């Protein structure tokens, strides 16, 4: 559990640093939607060539969605950010509820030893 918490802390730290650097980048020059879209296309192409993503027909919609999301974050569209965070939280709550409803029964360690062997079958093997 400690490792998971350490990973969460590292991820939060990385996210914060990334956000700060991107805000700094935005303050250095004119950032517009076209430049973001170009960068998204380049990154997806590099990822495709590296084999990290498959060739598919949905790349254009992925480009549009990522560009839109990054641009809204970049210009500080707080309403959109909050809506997406709320949606994410709802999904996480649903997943947690599903996990809680699933019951896994675990047999005690000596379960197999407590089973009494049945009569040997005609092949001579013992069935537990």
């Amino acid at each position: 559990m400690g490792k998971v918490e350490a990973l969460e802390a590292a991820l939060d730290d990385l996210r914060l640093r990334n956000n700060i650097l991107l805000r700094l980048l935005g303050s250095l020059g004119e950032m517009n939607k076209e430049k973001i879209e170009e960068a998204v296309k380049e990154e997806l192409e590099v990822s495709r060539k590296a084999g990290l993503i498959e060739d598919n027909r949905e790349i254009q919609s992925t480009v549009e969605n990522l560009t839109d999301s990054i641009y809204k974050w970049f210009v500080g569209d707080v309403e959109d950010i909050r809506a997406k965070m709320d949606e994410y939280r709802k999904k996480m709550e649903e997943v947690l509820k599903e996990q809680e409803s699933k019951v896994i029964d675990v047999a005690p360690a000596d379960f197999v030893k407590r089973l009494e062997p049945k009569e040997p079958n005609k092949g001579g093997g013992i069935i537990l």
Side-chain angles (χ1 to χ4, degrees), residues 1 15 26-27 45 57 71 75 77 86 91 103 107 109-110:
M1 196 62 164
R15 179 193 50 80
S27 70
E45 183 62 21
R57 297 177 182 154
Y71 183 74
V75 297
D77 188 347
D86 288 341
K91 286 181 182 178
V103 177
D110 65 338

Side-chain angles (χ1 to χ4, degrees), residues 63-127:
V63 168
E64 291 170 4
N65 291 338
L66 279 171
T67 300
D68 224 23
S69 176
I70 292 169
Y71 183 74
K72 286 179 180 178
W73 172 86
F74 210 75
V75 297
D77 188 347
V78 176
E79 298 292 324
D80 184 62
I81 294 170
R82 281 190 180 179
K84 287 187 179 188
M85 287 303 296
D86 288 341
E87 182 181 330
Y88 174 76
R89 285 186 186 114
K90 286 178 185 175
K91 286 181 182 178
M92 290 303 295
E93 288 172 1
E94 289 173 8
V95 169
L96 288 174
K97 285 180 184 176
E98 286 178 19
Q99 293 299 325
E100 288 174 358
S101 67
K102 294 180 181 177
V103 177
I104 299 174
D105 290 328
V106 179
D110 65 338
F111 179 75
V112 174
K113 290 181 183 177
R114 290 189 296 176
L115 291 174
E116 292 184 31
K118 295 183 179 181
E119 297 288 324
N121 63 8
K122 291 181 182 178
I126 298 175
I127 300 174

Side-chain angles (χ1 to χ4, degrees), residues 50-65:
L52 300 173
I53 60 173
E54 296 179 13
D55 276 334
N56 64 22
R57 297 177 182 154
E58 298 176 6
I59 284 189
Q60 186 56 37
S61 67
T62 302
V63 168
E64 291 170 4
N65 291 338

Side-chain angles (χ1 to χ4, degrees), residues 11-27:
L11 185 61
D12 283 342
D13 182 60
L14 184 60
R15 179 193 50 80
L16 180 64
R17 290 172 186 268
N18 185 50
N19 286 348
I20 291 168
L21 288 172
L22 289 173
R23 296 236 182 261
L24 179 63
L25 176 66
S27 70

